Amino acid sequence: FDFFLSVILLTGSFPFLVIIALLIKLDSKGPILYKQVRLGKDSQQFSLIKFRTMVQNAEQKSGPIWTKENDSRMTLIGKWLRRFYLDEIPQLLNVIKGEMSIVGPRPERPFFIEKLVQEYPSYLDRLSVKPGITGFAQINQRYDDNISDVRKKLEFDFFYIKRLNFMFDLKILLGTILVVLSGKGR
């Protein structure tokens, strides 16, 4: 299901993706796509693919940090892409490659996982399933700003993992559509 839905979505949205790519290129220097190492199922590393929403080398001086609301590192187009979660569309390629699922807990960077495991030892239990482009936590809470946000997302992720089934995934997909259309992302 993940594979076929991803192929259909990528094929159907191709003209729109070309427009996004042109806008990113016109807006700022740097590549159109951004790759970042994340941990997937069973702690397997993979390169997550996104449309670039920040200035090139955004973490060069600061090192890894969470994105904040009104983050000065975001480009003009990047703010708009994040608001409607359009920066996530290239992750359909990760789904086609079998590294991700459409629905599941969001994958995190190894740097943050090391810190989060110290605070929440059960954090690694999230890695028992494939990570997703969207998930139960994403339709119920916005982006993480800090470690306390992570605790609430963990509750949603564990709830999802315990109730993993196709109908729940469909409910999350419908919820995702509502979140995207509302433009409440950042």
Side-chain angles (χ1 to χ4, degrees):
F1 177 78
D2 283 339
F3 178 84
F4 290 112
L5 183 58
S6 296
V7 169
I8 290 166
L9 290 172
L10 274 176
T11 304
S13 63
F14 185 75
F16 186 60
L17 299 178
V18 170
I19 292 168
I20 290 173
L22 289 171
L23 290 173
I24 291 169
K25 211 58 180 157
L26 291 171
D27 183 43
S28 62
K29 293 180 186 176
I32 293 166
L33 296 175
Y34 177 72
K35 292 183 180 181
Q36 192 175 66
V37 174
R38 301 284 176 110
L39 291 186
K41 186 175 185 322
D42 301 325
S43 299
Q44 293 296 310
Q45 286 191 359
F46 69 97
S47 291
L48 180 114
I49 307 166
K50 297 176 81 166
F51 279 124
R52 184 176 56 81
T53 59
M54 294 192 175
V55 295
Q56 189 173 10
N57 301 319
E59 292 184 331
Q60 189 171 11
K61 293 178 184 172
S62 66
I65 56 173
W66 274 309
T67 304
K68 301 283 184 198
E69 195 161 356
N70 299 317
D71 197 312
S72 63
R73 301 172 298 158
M74 273 199 256
T75 65
L76 289 174
I77 294 301
K79 288 178 187 175
W80 181 79
L81 291 174
R82 281 189 177 224
R83 180 174 180 197
F84 294 99
Y85 296 92
L86 298 173
D87 59 318
E88 312 286 355
I89 295 173
Q91 290 168 46
L92 292 168
L93 295 170
N94 292 112
V95 175
I96 290 170
K97 291 167 58 177
E99 299 164 329
M100 292 180 69
S101 186
I102 296 209
V103 178
R106 287 293 298 156
E108 187 55 85
R109 295 193 269 176
F111 174 85
F112 290 120
I113 289 177
E114 287 178 28
K115 299 203 176 308
L116 293 167
V117 167
Q118 293 172 13
E119 186 77 21
Y120 308 110
S122 64
Y123 188 86
L124 291 178
D125 294 346
R126 299 171 75 251
L127 304 179
S128 65
V129 298
K130 279 187 185 179
I133 296 173
T134 188
F136 193 55
Q138 284 62 50
I139 63 171
N140 287 293
Q141 185 175 331
R142 294 176 56 151
Y143 289 101
D144 297 336
D145 281 335
N146 55 56
I147 200 151
S148 63
D149 288 345
V150 172
R151 185 173 68 63
K152 188 64 180 163
K153 280 204 173 166
L154 276 176
E155 292 173 19
F156 288 124
D157 287 342
F158 291 142
F159 182 88
Y160 169 77
I161 291 168
K162 288 177 185 171
R163 288 153 187 83
L164 188 67
N165 67 65
F166 184 71
M167 292 308 292
F168 194 25
D169 282 1
L170 287 179
K171 181 180 176 182
I172 292 168
L173 285 173
L174 290 174
T176 299
I177 291 167
L178 294 175
V179 168
V180 168
L181 292 177
S182 74
K184 292 183 179 176
R186 68 167 161 88

